[in-house]
Amino acid sequence: MPINRINNRLEDLFTVLFYCTCLQDSGRGVLFKPNERICINQERGALLTQLACLNDEITALDVRTYKVPPQLELKIRFALEKLEETNF
């Protein structure tokens, strides 16, 4: 995967997690359940290993692959659309 796609995905995942935290901190509930947040962070970790490999920091054997489940991906996409609409 190209570096720009990895960075864009990392940014999207960070944004939805940050928004979820903001909602929780303001007492308005949560966007993602704890297990969903774990899945999102698992994908973030896998993407970071891909970046590390592209930067010759680790070998290809050390790269992890993980993608959130399809149902969670839909939830992430929906959240990103709503955030874009509200200029979050």
Side-chain angles (χ1 to χ4, degrees):
M1 180 183 298
I3 289 177
N4 63 331
R5 283 188 55 207
I6 294 171
N7 286 329
N8 289 341
R9 181 64 175 173
L10 283 168
E11 184 179 328
D12 286 348
L13 295 176
F14 174 81
T15 299
V16 296
L17 287 174
F18 180 72
Y19 181 65
C20 181
T21 299
C22 289
L23 287 175
Q24 185 176 11
D25 289 348
S26 68
R28 296 189 330 211
V30 294
L31 185 59
F32 299 104
K33 297 174 188 168
N35 61 330
E36 293 172 326
R37 291 179 66 95
I38 290 168
C39 290
I40 292 169
N41 279 309
Q42 286 288 341
E43 182 172 339
R44 290 175 70 210
L47 291 168
L48 290 171
T49 65
Q50 292 174 31
L51 281 179
C53 183
L54 291 171
N55 291 326
D56 293 324
E57 297 168 3
I58 62 173
T59 67
L61 295 173
D62 296 321
V63 173
R64 293 186 304 127
T65 57
Y66 181 82
K67 184 84 174 113
V68 297
Q71 310 90 321
L72 181 53
E73 182 62 34
L74 290 174
K75 199 171 180 179
I76 290 168
R77 291 279 137 220
F78 179 78
L80 289 169
E81 288 173 13
K82 290 299 175 191
L83 291 171
E84 189 173 315
E85 288 174 9
T86 60
N87 294 320
F88 178 77

